[in-house]
Amino acid sequence: MERVFPDGFMWGTAISSFQAEMGLGEPSDGTDWWAWVHDEANVTAGRVSGDTPLDGPGFWERYDQDLTLASEGLRNNSIRLAVDWGRVFPEPTTVVEVDVKRDRRGNVWRVALEEEDLDNLDRLSDGDAVDRYREMLESAHGHGLTPMLTLYHWPIPLWLHDPIACRDDIASTDKRGWVSQSTIVEFAKLTAYLAHRLGDLVDLYCTVNEPRIISEHGYLTRRGEFPPGLNDPSLFLTCLKHTCIAHGVAYEQVKHWDRREASPLGPSTVGLVAVLQHYEPADPGSPDDAWMSRFIDYAFNEWNLNAVFHGDYDMNLDQVVEPMEQLPHQVKGCDYLGVNYYARWRVRHRKTGVDPLLDYEFAPCSGDCSDYGWDVYPEGLRNVLTWAYRRYRRPIYVTENGVADKEDRMRTRYLRSHLRELHKAITVDGVPVRGYYYWTLMDNFEWSDGYEISFGLYGVDRETKKRTPTKAVPVYREIAEKNRLK
Ligand code: BGC
């Protein structure tokens, strides 16, 4: 059976700056993530692996060759890449004073920038870094790849977030990253500036990559693997809330500052990227597991979308949005939804009586397990796509989907099975999916787990940086080239 995808479907891979750029030269050493993975206490405690991004694939220098792989090796017509905030603004942008309006509850609501503010931001920016991003984007266009640009894929400049001070005593510092609303204001400046400087080359934007993952791994998990490694449900919710507000603020900036078309899509299509996973009770016969699975689905999948699309900020997670929790003025728009889907998680209620956000665990994978121990479940992709479309009614891009598979034993199967489900979502369920981005183009720095984990379609030799295609490369090439799956 041949499965044909809609005309104009975007086929791509996704990469991110901190994970892919370093490895050959100029490090980006001014961010919280840089400090986090180099901190000895974090390595000793097992929060991070001890690997550093300095052994990465070196996209900062090799971008043109890698984009050649994306276009000629994979016959893709798009690429999702990210900008590193710390490279663009190594110096604090706080000195550029802008007009900030707050709502009655004190939340940042509107940030107004003038042309003059952009000139001031330009003087503060690292012009070489901005030029390099322009060259990357020009190279993408030159290779026939429509760029999708992620404005925030996790590292925050150290001048806004000191993750070690926050880890040790958050009250001791005012550099508190997403827990502080000043980060939203500075993010507004970053996104205005990027839309202004790169908008002639970009039409498709992602604002925040995965509010839930940064909130959960930074403020909730026992291992504490993401900066600042805290274990506090209220900070988890604060981070989730602020990154959702940040989406709206960024949405307004991009719409305002980018009016130029770089492609037939133009001038700016702006969306949030949410990670949506398939959750189910570990023991289907257990009412406790069933309740917890539903709760986790609500907190992790639904909450950030209810905030962005409806202005519902259910801060006590009781699944009732009281008048005080309704912030409809924070709904600024979301032209499409980016969905990152990886796996199925079977949820168990630990029943220790603590806050439910600390009282769940995921059962170990027992089915088709990736190197990460994630449970491969292609049907889950169709489920989340159909659910998200029926509820929020936006076009969707699958902005990430992939598998950790060092030995190259399951990548091809993973790709094909997920695309089969994606195709059903389009043709059977009527979900308007506009594109698919495999995670990831080449092996990269997998955050706290370093290089043990290999998601790349191309393997990378850490010494020579040589790229080697996995078995999935010819398969993905044929699918993208023909716009169909056999
Ligand atoms: C992130 C990527 C990450 C991938 C695999 C996603 O949550 O956006 O940066 O590498 O998952 O863990």
Side-chain angles (χ1 to χ4, degrees):
M1 179 185 163
E2 283 229 312
R3 297 168 183 85
V4 180
F5 284 81
D7 281 347
F9 196 78
M10 296 275 203
W11 293 104
T13 56
I15 63 173
S16 90
S17 41
F18 191 75
Q19 295 179 272
E21 284 174 357
M22 286 181 258
L24 282 169
E26 295 170 67
S28 167
D29 56 4
T31 66
D32 57 350
W33 262 99
W34 173 271
W36 190 247
V37 297
H38 284 91
D39 182 77
E40 275 305 319
N42 280 343
V43 179
T44 310
R47 288 185 203 101
V48 298
S49 65
D51 291 345
T52 85
L54 288 172
D55 289 321
F59 186 77
W60 190 246
E61 285 79 14
R62 286 192 48 127
Y63 62 88
D64 194 60
Q65 292 154 66
D66 288 330
L67 295 173
T68 306
L69 289 182
S71 111
E72 288 171 23
L74 296 171
R75 295 272 184 244
N76 282 180
N77 56 8
S78 188
I79 176 94
R80 175 175 174 232
L81 31 83
V83 167
D84 180 332
W85 190 344
R87 283 201 199 267
V88 176
F89 288 120
E91 301 298 327
T93 48
T94 41
V95 294
V96 177
E97 282 181 27
V98 296
D99 182 32
V100 179
K101 296 228 177 345
R102 292 180 181 263
D103 64 17
R104 275 185 296 145
R105 301 191 187 116
N107 299 305
V108 171
W109 173 47
R110 286 236 140 91
V111 183
L113 279 87
E114 308 290 332
E115 292 277 353
E116 189 193 332
D117 299 322
L118 290 179
D119 293 341
N120 290 332
L121 287 170
D122 199 41
R123 275 189 281 280
L124 280 174
S125 70
D126 178 337
D128 292 341
V130 177
D131 285 347
R132 183 65 59 91
Y133 283 119
R134 289 192 61 82
E135 286 156 22
M136 280 179 195
L137 294 165
E138 277 160 4
S139 161
H141 284 287
H143 288 293
L145 301 164
T146 300
M148 173 185 257
L149 189 70
T150 309
L151 300 167
Y152 174 68
H153 201 131
W154 301 357
I156 303 177
L158 270 172
W159 50 262
L160 264 177
H161 189 206
D162 180 341
I164 309 302
C166 287
R167 179 196 67 197
D168 295 342
D169 176 12
I170 195 163
S172 72
T173 176
D174 56 0
K175 296 177 186 164
R176 295 189 204 168
W178 287 117
V179 165
S180 157
Q181 293 213 2
S182 51
T183 300
I184 303 175
V185 175
E186 300 316 306
F187 186 57
K189 296 175 193 170
L190 172 80
T191 53
Y193 182 71
L194 292 176
H196 171 66
R197 289 287 279 118
L198 307 178
D200 57 324
L201 297 168
V202 182
D203 286 339
L204 200 49
Y205 294 86
C206 310
T207 53
V208 176
N209 183 67
E210 302 180 339
R212 169 230 148 178
I213 293 287
I214 34 181
S215 308
E216 179 204 3
H217 293 265
Y219 298 96
L220 208 55
T221 60
R222 276 179 287 274
R223 180 179 163 206
E225 61 273 25
F226 278 24
L230 296 174
N231 192 221
D232 179 337
S234 76
L235 293 180
F236 160 81
L237 276 162
T238 305
C239 181
L240 207 52
K241 170 184 169 186
H242 291 175
T243 44
C244 291
I245 292 178
H247 158 82
V249 165
Y251 181 91
E252 284 189 327
Q253 297 304 332
V254 175
K255 290 286 180 186
H256 183 82
W257 292 105
D258 178 8
R259 308 239 166 114
R260 290 152 299 169
E261 296 193 3
S263 72
L265 292 169
S268 62
T269 301
V270 186
L272 174 80
V273 171
V275 58
L276 301 182
Q277 304 301 288
H278 177 93
Y279 297 106
E280 61 186 42
D283 171 1
S286 153
D288 289 321
D289 287 2
W291 183 88
M292 191 52 103
S293 170
R294 170 72 196 121
F295 176 76
I296 288 298
D297 191 41
Y298 176 72
F300 287 1
N301 280 348
E302 201 174 316
W303 200 99
N304 55 170
L305 301 184
N306 289 347
V308 163
F309 287 106
H310 300 150
D312 291 348
Y313 286 78
D314 177 17
M315 295 309 289
N316 59 2
L317 285 175
D318 66 352
Q319 309 191 35
V320 180
V321 189
E322 302 293 348
M324 279 293 284
E325 297 171 325
Q326 294 168 17
L327 310 180
H329 53 279
Q330 293 287 2
V331 179
K332 307 290 180 49
C334 191
D335 301 330
Y336 73 90
L337 176 64
V339 172
N340 292 353
Y341 174 81
Y342 285 92
R344 159 169 65 182
W345 299 90
R346 292 181 307 117
V347 185
R348 186 175 288 145
H349 199 318
R350 293 169 63 228
K351 290 185 271 181
T352 60
V354 295
D355 186 311
L357 280 173
L358 301 172
D359 211 10
Y360 73 92
E361 63 191 10
F362 295 129
C365 175
S366 57
D368 192 10
C369 309
S370 77
D371 294 355
Y372 235 155
W374 297 0
D375 185 356
V376 174
Y377 185 61
E379 296 83 351
L381 175 60
R382 178 178 173 190
N383 293 347
V384 298
L385 291 174
T386 308
W387 170 82
Y389 174 60
R390 292 202 174 134
R391 228 181 125 86
Y392 303 102
R393 296 282 165 193
R394 288 296 189 284
I396 292 180
Y397 288 87
V398 174
T399 34
E400 286 179 33
N401 176 238
V403 67
D405 179 24
K406 204 164 222 149
E407 301 304 322
D408 203 12
R409 60 190 173 92
M410 60 200 305
R411 194 172 280 99
T412 303
R413 184 160 51 86
Y414 184 98
L415 173 71
R416 296 179 62 86
S417 57
H418 284 76
L419 286 177
R420 275 199 291 274
E421 294 300 319
L422 172 62
H423 190 264
K424 281 187 216 157
I426 297 173
T427 54
V428 181
D429 307 332
V431 183
V433 184
R434 303 276 195 252
Y436 173 86
Y437 295 80
Y438 193 84
W439 183 269
T440 179
L441 178 56
M442 67 251 162
D443 285 346
N444 62 21
F445 183 68
E446 179 52 33
W447 305 109
S448 45
D449 296 311
Y451 300 101
E452 262 316 290
I453 297 295
S454 299
F455 275 94
L457 281 169
Y458 289 86
V460 177
D461 182 299
R462 270 214 263 168
E463 298 297 316
T464 64
K465 310 297 173 198
K466 184 169 180 288
R467 275 60 167 156
T468 307
T470 61
K471 288 184 265 192
V473 164
V475 174
Y476 193 30
R477 175 170 53 224
E478 190 182 338
I479 295 168
E481 189 168 29
K482 304 213 165 115
N483 201 31
R484 64 184 63 201
L485 168 71
K486 271 202 261 184

